[in-house]
Amino acid sequence: MAEILTKSRARNIFYGGSIFFVLVFAGMTVQSHRYVVQTSTAGMPLSEEVVRGKHVWERNSCINCHSLHGEGAYFAPELGNVTTRWGVQDSPEDAFFMLKGWIESQPSGIEGRRQMPRYEMSDEDIRALSEFLRWADQTDTQGWPPNDAG
Amino acid sequence: MKYESQKVAYWYILAALALFGIQVLGGLLAGWIYVSPNFLSELLPFNVIRMIHTNALIVWLLLGFFGAAYFLVPEESEREIWSPKLAYIQLVILLVGTLGAVGSYLVGIHGGREFLEQPLWVKFGILVAAVIFLVNISMTVLSGKRTAITNVLLMGLWLLSLLWIFAFINPENLSLDKMYWWFVVHLWVEATWELVMAAILAFLLLKLTGVDREVVEKWLYVIVATALFSGILGTGHHFYWIGLPGYWQWVGSIFSTFEVIPFFLMMSFAFVMVWKGRKNHPNKAALLWSLGSSTVAFFGAGVWGFLHTLHGVNFYSHGTQITAAHGHLAFYGAYVALNLAVFTYAMPMLRERAPYNQVLNMASFWLMTGGMAFMTFVLTFAGTIQTHMQRVVGEYYMDVQESLSVFYLMRFGAGAAVVIGALLFIYSTLVARRSEIIAPGSANPVPGE
Ligand code: HEM
Ligand code: HEM
Ligand SMILES: [Fe+2]
């Protein structure tokens, strides 16, 4: 590379090429943003409850034990498809009662089993959370996860 | 130390080392909870410990980068830092923010996006500190000599700070939240931080091997070009299953495969420079860390990254212990070891003494690197079994985890080795001794001369 590729040429390729890739990436981001809003998450309205549920999810840092659509920690089960696993994806009422039952029975206290902390949550928060999880579950994730085990 | 103001770096390195200690102790604790799950479960749950572990990592690596910049920019620009006072103010802001974040995690106040859990005021603190830093370092460079190393370093630091803006953007739509989250996480470690890494590595090799600057700088531009050309669209390897369009499966697979190239080049560059170099620098430990960093980065980021980056593989391995294995070796090789290389190189000068205690320092290299490699292997085995049982056979997560306990026990053992190595590093860097405990081997003979 000695003669053909001088230092200043290498530098110009670096700057020019980077700008090119940033522009391509920006364009694809805009398109992807639209696709998310109009197609992949359009199956269920992004209601106030869902938004509140997302805040509850964040406030309690659930992501640092669980994964959601495969991202997060690996200490506890995947929750992006939990309403499918529980068979409550189509029923807000069932989803709420299942989740309330679950949260209020923690921690299990079983010796040698990973523990989920006890969260003191109002019914409104639990309902918001179950709606958020139902909402996440209806996302078109290109067929992931491979099965209901998550 | 040629310039008085380089001393600033000393305090950045001290702060970074303290947080490094906290980070690995947090990791060890998290690893212990995997082995004995009832431990601390009512007092300090796993998620809080994990936040401390990952956040301490990111902050100390950044402190190390800032320190490295304050150390090498004066030498490159051939002038004092524009304002040492601003540099100290920046450090104080970062430390207050860090302590504030840890304190608030312990009492349960935090955000909920992985790695970006810092309370809003801390995020602003980081932004202010970054702006102070950029102004200070840019003023220094602009009024001094400009080199390819400072060009690339500055570009990396400016871009990574700009990307921090996405830490404030948290859309209500989960899929959008995830997409923009990766603008920070992926475009940091697989684009902008690579620029910083390449620039620092180039500086170290220039000093340690005495190779011609012209050669080093040309390599540098080639490396960072391949990093950005692959890494930007390579972001697509995180866009497969989070609600984004299907074309990312092809774009992500193809471009992230090219991401191996800059890591391969950095490794080759390091070795070629050492072979070509004529200088016999007395700081052998710094050279070991520099070569070790680029090599482990190639394996951790390059090989272990490629292992699960094709969408057909990632469909099964996504979000398993395979990801954790890769995350550990990549961060360790590329950024932890690189920072420790800078510290090993700079600290003797900052403390104005000969680079002694090299043997202890090198022992800590092998202990830490061996520990991280072993941890990566056992997590890769665990992840392979997990992928098969859970993703292929379809067994329930908790049942699968039970059959992995032997790997988690070995991970804890590996973690203990890393912690001992880290403490040894800190001891050998900070606790002054008069002479080597064991005399270092003789200088490398120059081949063929
Ligand atoms: C004492 C040694 C260490 C131990 C025992 C340890 C253990 C752990 C554990 C248990 C987790 C949580 C995994 C989960 O979510 O289930 C974790 C996460 C993480 N650790 Fe460590 N760690 C150690 C050292 C390190 C070092 C040196 C680094 C940096 C090179 C590091 C970087 C990370 C990162 C980036 C994550 C998040 C991984 C991801 O989300 O994929 N750790 N660690
Ligand atoms: C030094 C550079 C790198 C670092 C520090 C790094 C670190 C990480 C970390 C911490 C994660 C987990 C993120 C999470 O919590 O979800 C991750 C995920 C991933 N990385 Fe890297 N990485 C690097 C380079 C690479 C490269 C070069 C490739 C590809 C060749 C790659 C491929 C991947 C893939 C495919 C995932 C997603 C895994 C999944 O689906 O669960 N990484 N990386
Ligand atoms: Fe990535």
PDB file of all heavy atoms in Angstrom, chain B residues 182 185-187 189-190 231 234-238 256 259 309 326, ligand 3:
ATOM      1  N   TRP B 182     -29.661   1.915  20.810  1.00  0.00           N
ATOM      2  CA  TRP B 182     -28.461   1.355  20.177  1.00  0.00           C
ATOM      3  C   TRP B 182     -27.579   2.433  19.563  1.00  0.00           C
ATOM      4  O   TRP B 182     -26.391   2.211  19.332  1.00  0.00           O
ATOM      5  CB  TRP B 182     -28.840   0.323  19.107  1.00  0.00           C
ATOM      6  CG  TRP B 182     -29.250  -0.998  19.692  1.00  0.00           C
ATOM      7  CD1 TRP B 182     -30.499  -1.566  19.667  1.00  0.00           C
ATOM      8  CD2 TRP B 182     -28.418  -1.925  20.408  1.00  0.00           C
ATOM      9  NE1 TRP B 182     -30.483  -2.780  20.317  1.00  0.00           N
ATOM     10  CE2 TRP B 182     -29.220  -3.026  20.772  1.00  0.00           C
ATOM     11  CE3 TRP B 182     -27.062  -1.929  20.769  1.00  0.00           C
ATOM     12  CZ2 TRP B 182     -28.720  -4.124  21.484  1.00  0.00           C
ATOM     13  CZ3 TRP B 182     -26.574  -3.017  21.479  1.00  0.00           C
ATOM     14  CH2 TRP B 182     -27.400  -4.092  21.825  1.00  0.00           C
ATOM     15  N   VAL B 185     -25.365   2.760  22.465  1.00  0.00           N
ATOM     16  CA  VAL B 185     -24.617   1.584  22.898  1.00  0.00           C
ATOM     17  C   VAL B 185     -23.753   1.014  21.766  1.00  0.00           C
ATOM     18  O   VAL B 185     -22.537   0.861  21.913  1.00  0.00           O
ATOM     19  CB  VAL B 185     -25.581   0.529  23.471  1.00  0.00           C
ATOM     20  CG1 VAL B 185     -24.822  -0.725  23.873  1.00  0.00           C
ATOM     21  CG2 VAL B 185     -26.313   1.108  24.679  1.00  0.00           C
ATOM     22  N   HIS B 186     -24.346   0.723  20.634  1.00  0.00           N
ATOM     23  CA  HIS B 186     -23.548   0.145  19.555  1.00  0.00           C
ATOM     24  C   HIS B 186     -22.595   1.178  18.934  1.00  0.00           C
ATOM     25  O   HIS B 186     -21.414   0.899  18.744  1.00  0.00           O
ATOM     26  CB  HIS B 186     -24.452  -0.445  18.470  1.00  0.00           C
ATOM     27  CG  HIS B 186     -23.711  -0.857  17.234  1.00  0.00           C
ATOM     28  ND1 HIS B 186     -23.294  -2.136  16.993  1.00  0.00           N
ATOM     29  CD2 HIS B 186     -23.273  -0.118  16.176  1.00  0.00           C
ATOM     30  CE1 HIS B 186     -22.646  -2.183  15.852  1.00  0.00           C
ATOM     31  NE2 HIS B 186     -22.615  -0.972  15.337  1.00  0.00           N
ATOM     32  N   LEU B 187     -23.115   2.362  18.649  1.00  0.00           N
ATOM     33  CA  LEU B 187     -22.254   3.342  17.978  1.00  0.00           C
ATOM     34  C   LEU B 187     -21.164   3.889  18.899  1.00  0.00           C
ATOM     35  O   LEU B 187     -20.238   4.557  18.444  1.00  0.00           O
ATOM     36  CB  LEU B 187     -23.088   4.476  17.371  1.00  0.00           C
ATOM     37  CG  LEU B 187     -23.921   4.063  16.150  1.00  0.00           C
ATOM     38  CD1 LEU B 187     -24.767   5.215  15.639  1.00  0.00           C
ATOM     39  CD2 LEU B 187     -23.039   3.525  15.027  1.00  0.00           C
ATOM     40  N   VAL B 189     -19.389   1.528  21.231  1.00  0.00           N
ATOM     41  CA  VAL B 189     -18.319   0.520  21.291  1.00  0.00           C
ATOM     42  C   VAL B 189     -17.877   0.027  19.924  1.00  0.00           C
ATOM     43  O   VAL B 189     -16.773  -0.479  19.779  1.00  0.00           O
ATOM     44  CB  VAL B 189     -18.688  -0.685  22.184  1.00  0.00           C
ATOM     45  CG1 VAL B 189     -18.920  -0.248  23.611  1.00  0.00           C
ATOM     46  CG2 VAL B 189     -19.861  -1.452  21.644  1.00  0.00           C
ATOM     47  N   GLU B 190     -18.727   0.139  18.904  1.00  0.00           N
ATOM     48  CA  GLU B 190     -18.343  -0.401  17.608  1.00  0.00           C
ATOM     49  C   GLU B 190     -18.153   0.684  16.555  1.00  0.00           C
ATOM     50  O   GLU B 190     -18.181   0.414  15.366  1.00  0.00           O
ATOM     51  CB  GLU B 190     -19.365  -1.443  17.152  1.00  0.00           C
ATOM     52  CG  GLU B 190     -19.236  -2.726  17.960  1.00  0.00           C
ATOM     53  CD  GLU B 190     -20.462  -3.596  17.885  1.00  0.00           C
ATOM     54  OE1 GLU B 190     -20.682  -4.176  16.826  1.00  0.00           O
ATOM     55  OE2 GLU B 190     -21.208  -3.673  18.881  1.00  0.00           O
ATOM     56  N   GLY B 231     -18.934  -0.331  10.917  1.00  0.00           N
ATOM     57  CA  GLY B 231     -19.652  -0.215  12.193  1.00  0.00           C
ATOM     58  C   GLY B 231     -20.959   0.547  12.119  1.00  0.00           C
ATOM     59  O   GLY B 231     -21.895   0.248  12.851  1.00  0.00           O
ATOM     60  N   GLY B 234     -23.349  -1.629  10.490  1.00  0.00           N
ATOM     61  CA  GLY B 234     -23.318  -2.827  11.328  1.00  0.00           C
ATOM     62  C   GLY B 234     -24.290  -2.753  12.496  1.00  0.00           C
ATOM     63  O   GLY B 234     -24.637  -3.779  13.087  1.00  0.00           O
ATOM     64  N   THR B 235     -24.725  -1.538  12.841  1.00  0.00           N
ATOM     65  CA  THR B 235     -25.738  -1.393  13.886  1.00  0.00           C
ATOM     66  C   THR B 235     -26.923  -2.301  13.610  1.00  0.00           C
ATOM     67  O   THR B 235     -27.616  -2.736  14.528  1.00  0.00           O
ATOM     68  CB  THR B 235     -26.249   0.068  13.956  1.00  0.00           C
ATOM     69  OG1 THR B 235     -25.129   0.937  13.843  1.00  0.00           O
ATOM     70  CG2 THR B 235     -26.963   0.346  15.265  1.00  0.00           C
ATOM     71  N   GLY B 236     -27.124  -2.594  12.320  1.00  0.00           N
ATOM     72  CA  GLY B 236     -28.231  -3.452  11.926  1.00  0.00           C
ATOM     73  C   GLY B 236     -28.247  -4.807  12.610  1.00  0.00           C
ATOM     74  O   GLY B 236     -29.297  -5.440  12.700  1.00  0.00           O
ATOM     75  N   HIS B 237     -27.096  -5.285  13.151  1.00  0.00           N
ATOM     76  CA  HIS B 237     -27.141  -6.600  13.801  1.00  0.00           C
ATOM     77  C   HIS B 237     -27.931  -6.576  15.107  1.00  0.00           C
ATOM     78  O   HIS B 237     -28.162  -7.629  15.693  1.00  0.00           O
ATOM     79  CB  HIS B 237     -25.741  -7.222  13.958  1.00  0.00           C
ATOM     80  CG  HIS B 237     -24.799  -6.523  14.896  1.00  0.00           C
ATOM     81  ND1 HIS B 237     -23.526  -6.974  15.134  1.00  0.00           N
ATOM     82  CD2 HIS B 237     -24.922  -5.397  15.638  1.00  0.00           C
ATOM     83  CE1 HIS B 237     -22.911  -6.166  15.982  1.00  0.00           C
ATOM     84  NE2 HIS B 237     -23.741  -5.205  16.302  1.00  0.00           N
ATOM     85  N   HIS B 238     -28.327  -5.389  15.550  1.00  0.00           N
ATOM     86  CA  HIS B 238     -29.210  -5.303  16.724  1.00  0.00           C
ATOM     87  C   HIS B 238     -30.653  -5.023  16.315  1.00  0.00           C
ATOM     88  O   HIS B 238     -31.531  -4.890  17.168  1.00  0.00           O
ATOM     89  CB  HIS B 238     -28.744  -4.193  17.661  1.00  0.00           C
ATOM     90  CG  HIS B 238     -27.332  -4.353  18.111  1.00  0.00           C
ATOM     91  ND1 HIS B 238     -26.917  -5.379  18.926  1.00  0.00           N
ATOM     92  CD2 HIS B 238     -26.221  -3.636  17.839  1.00  0.00           C
ATOM     93  CE1 HIS B 238     -25.611  -5.277  19.143  1.00  0.00           C
ATOM     94  NE2 HIS B 238     -25.164  -4.224  18.491  1.00  0.00           N
ATOM     95  N   SER B 256     -21.841  -6.061   9.661  1.00  0.00           N
ATOM     96  CA  SER B 256     -21.206  -6.378  10.946  1.00  0.00           C
ATOM     97  C   SER B 256     -20.141  -7.459  10.761  1.00  0.00           C
ATOM     98  O   SER B 256     -19.208  -7.548  11.555  1.00  0.00           O
ATOM     99  CB  SER B 256     -22.234  -6.773  12.000  1.00  0.00           C
ATOM    100  OG  SER B 256     -22.818  -8.002  11.702  1.00  0.00           O
ATOM    101  N   GLU B 259     -17.046  -5.790  10.418  1.00  0.00           N
ATOM    102  CA  GLU B 259     -16.526  -5.184  11.651  1.00  0.00           C
ATOM    103  C   GLU B 259     -15.320  -5.929  12.207  1.00  0.00           C
ATOM    104  O   GLU B 259     -14.593  -5.413  13.053  1.00  0.00           O
ATOM    105  CB  GLU B 259     -17.616  -5.135  12.732  1.00  0.00           C
ATOM    106  CG  GLU B 259     -18.636  -4.042  12.530  1.00  0.00           C
ATOM    107  CD  GLU B 259     -19.648  -4.030  13.667  1.00  0.00           C
ATOM    108  OE1 GLU B 259     -19.263  -4.296  14.808  1.00  0.00           O
ATOM    109  OE2 GLU B 259     -20.832  -3.759  13.389  1.00  0.00           O
ATOM    110  N   THR B 309     -23.275 -13.033  14.967  1.00  0.00           N
ATOM    111  CA  THR B 309     -23.770 -11.822  14.317  1.00  0.00           C
ATOM    112  C   THR B 309     -24.611 -12.099  13.071  1.00  0.00           C
ATOM    113  O   THR B 309     -25.404 -11.262  12.653  1.00  0.00           O
ATOM    114  CB  THR B 309     -22.595 -10.876  13.975  1.00  0.00           C
ATOM    115  OG1 THR B 309     -23.080  -9.533  13.959  1.00  0.00           O
ATOM    116  CG2 THR B 309     -21.976 -11.188  12.621  1.00  0.00           C
ATOM    117  N   HIS B 326     -19.529 -12.855  24.955  1.00  0.00           N
ATOM    118  CA  HIS B 326     -18.958 -11.889  24.010  1.00  0.00           C
ATOM    119  C   HIS B 326     -18.787 -10.512  24.644  1.00  0.00           C
ATOM    120  O   HIS B 326     -17.728  -9.883  24.506  1.00  0.00           O
ATOM    121  CB  HIS B 326     -19.852 -11.817  22.771  1.00  0.00           C
ATOM    122  CG  HIS B 326     -19.782 -10.527  22.036  1.00  0.00           C
ATOM    123  ND1 HIS B 326     -18.665 -10.151  21.311  1.00  0.00           N
ATOM    124  CD2 HIS B 326     -20.666  -9.506  21.915  1.00  0.00           C
ATOM    125  CE1 HIS B 326     -18.888  -8.962  20.778  1.00  0.00           C
ATOM    126  NE2 HIS B 326     -20.085  -8.534  21.133  1.00  0.00           N
TER     127      HIS B 326
HETATM  128 FE    FE C   3     -23.147  -4.093  18.053  1.00  0.00          FE
END
